[in-house]
Amino acid sequence: MSSLFIPSAQAADGGGLLSNPQVLQFAPMIFIFVVFYFLLIRPQQQRARKLRDEQGSLRRGDRIVTAGGIVGVVQATRDDSDEVDVEIAQGVRVKIVRSTITTITSREKTPSAS
């Protein structure tokens, strides 16, 4: 009866952590998570951080594309506001929330005088 509650001593094989079958069962899942992190999660976080920085540094004349597919040129920004005034057609201005901006291209080039 006492042998039921007291585990028998096992000989140490000196194999270390990898000789443990429980660790070996989780090793493929850990490896897959590490691969997913470096190939998918981390690059996506870097792109999102870059886009947030670009959204914060918008200035007049930047061409943008929103999540809805609207293309326009920034006309006015306010540091204290989450909205940006964008001209989507000649004489047509709309207010757009910064977080809906998905692509920001550089300032539109002025045509050179020839």
Side-chain angles (χ1 to χ4, degrees):
M1 183 73 164
S2 65
S3 65
L4 239 169
F5 298 110
I6 301 174
S8 61
Q10 296 178 356
D13 60 356
L17 185 63
L18 292 179
S19 67
N20 189 348
Q22 294 169 343
V23 172
L24 288 177
Q25 287 177 346
F26 291 110
M29 286 188 282
I30 293 169
F31 176 73
I32 289 170
F33 177 76
V34 169
V35 169
F36 270 110
Y37 177 76
F38 282 107
L39 292 180
L40 297 173
I41 298 169
R42 188 167 178 258
Q44 180 62 29
Q45 288 175 340
Q46 290 175 340
R47 279 190 296 260
R49 187 178 308 121
K50 181 183 174 199
L51 180 61
R52 275 194 314 270
D53 292 343
E54 288 176 348
Q55 288 172 347
S57 65
L58 280 175
R59 58 186 181 171
R60 182 180 167 95
D62 287 344
R63 291 183 53 82
I64 63 163
V65 178
T66 66
I70 297 173
V71 179
V73 178
V74 175
Q75 296 299 314
T77 62
R78 292 176 232 27
D79 292 333
D80 59 342
S81 176
D82 194 31
E83 296 175 346
V84 178
D85 290 338
V86 177
E87 185 173 32
I88 58 175
Q90 189 172 1
V92 179
R93 286 189 176 185
V94 294
K95 289 184 188 225
I96 294 179
V97 178
R98 284 183 197 255
S99 61
T100 62
I101 298 171
T102 58
T103 307
I104 302 167
T105 59
S106 63
R107 204 169 242 222
E108 63 183 11
K109 301 192 178 357
T110 57
S112 60
S114 357

